[in-house]
Amino acid sequence: FLYGNVGTGKTHLISAIGNAILGGDGDKKRVGYVSASHFARRVAEAMQDAALDVFRENYCHWDVLILDDIQFMGGRVEAQEEFFHIFNVLHQQGRQIIIASDKAPDRLGLLEQRLVSRFASGIVAELKAPEWDTRMQILRHQATQTKAAVPEEILSLIAMRVPNDIRKMTGSLKKIVAFAHLVGQDMSCEMADEILSHLSIGNAA
């Protein structure tokens, strides 16, 4: 069970875990990924079509089931009921279940306690905002993807101004690169600072 604030890379990490399992030498080759909101929609459709048995079979055959954004299942009683049964089947068969959320299990107030209890019984890990060096590595990698020569001081400025949200941080870099290309100017710290201010990104403390 992985949890952390918005933009800390939870979806990226669980996707990487799934890809690593598929690319490994083990026998766990059936890996399923689904968002909680999509799961809830599928439950509603299966109930409407009187096809819950087929729905359950579809989810119970995975070696590894990855469920993203479990918080969006809050208040959806039917979806929680179905996931409870699927969770039990997979767990009893020794399968792997990976869940991501924006909150720790005991803070998911709209989920049934029996689900929360099962989540808390496994490995629970908090994903925190990356350290400075990691932020810089992410930005350097992103800069190479844009195929633009981004000065190191601009990367440092972005890393300093956007310390807690990877998605917003990489998005800021893309906007700076795109603006420089649009106006036909070289990137500068002044330009980057102005764009970050327009994005309502204040100075880092």
Side-chain angles (χ1 to χ4, degrees):
F1 191 103
L2 300 171
Y3 72 96
N5 291 329
V6 172
T8 49
K10 298 182 295 296
T11 298
H12 184 83
L13 178 58
I14 60 177
S15 298
I17 292 171
N19 289 330
I21 293 170
L22 286 172
D25 297 327
D27 57 356
K28 293 182 177 180
K29 293 300 182 183
R30 295 174 299 183
V31 179
Y33 169 91
V34 64
S35 67
S37 52
H38 179 75
F39 181 89
R41 285 197 303 272
R42 293 294 304 277
V43 169
E45 291 168 0
M47 292 180 67
Q48 190 173 17
D49 297 337
L52 278 176
D53 288 342
V54 175
F55 175 85
R56 290 170 188 161
E57 289 176 11
N58 181 49
Y59 281 92
C60 288
H61 84 280
W62 299 111
D63 295 315
V64 180
L65 176 60
I66 302 173
L67 185 75
D68 199 5
D69 289 325
I70 187 70
Q71 70 272 10
F72 293 129
M73 209 180 284
R76 301 183 178 186
V77 178
E78 295 85 359
Q80 291 183 45
E81 182 72 21
E82 287 306 311
F83 187 66
F84 176 78
H85 292 301
I86 291 168
F87 186 102
N88 284 341
V89 170
L90 294 175
H91 187 263
Q92 289 165 8
Q93 293 178 354
R95 310 290 179 86
Q96 180 70 56
I97 304 163
I98 301 168
I99 299 170
S101 173
D102 64 350
K103 298 181 181 68
D106 58 0
R107 294 183 57 208
L108 293 169
L110 293 176
L111 286 186
E112 294 182 13
Q113 282 305 304
R114 58 180 180 169
L115 271 177
V116 172
S117 175
R118 278 160 174 75
F119 298 160
S121 68
I123 297 173
V124 178
E126 181 180 7
L127 197 59
K128 296 185 177 180
E131 300 287 342
W132 171 266
D133 288 343
T134 304
R135 298 202 300 274
M136 288 298 292
Q137 288 180 20
I138 292 169
L139 286 168
R140 290 186 188 112
H141 175 74
Q142 191 68 46
T144 62
Q145 299 299 306
T146 66
K147 298 180 180 179
V150 184
E152 190 78 359
E153 58 266 25
I154 291 180
L155 299 180
S156 297
L157 177 65
I158 298 169
M160 178 181 67
R161 295 273 294 270
V162 197
N164 298 316
D165 189 325
I166 297 172
R167 193 178 298 119
K168 185 182 288 187
M169 184 180 73
T170 56
S172 298
L173 172 61
K174 290 176 183 176
K175 288 178 175 66
I176 292 168
V177 171
F179 181 79
H181 179 73
L182 180 66
V183 299
Q185 296 179 7
D186 293 333
M187 281 174 273
S188 66
C189 287
E190 291 77 14
M191 175 193 292
D193 187 68
E194 184 176 353
I195 292 172
L196 291 172
S197 297
H198 281 306
L199 295 172
S200 300
I201 297 171
N203 291 313

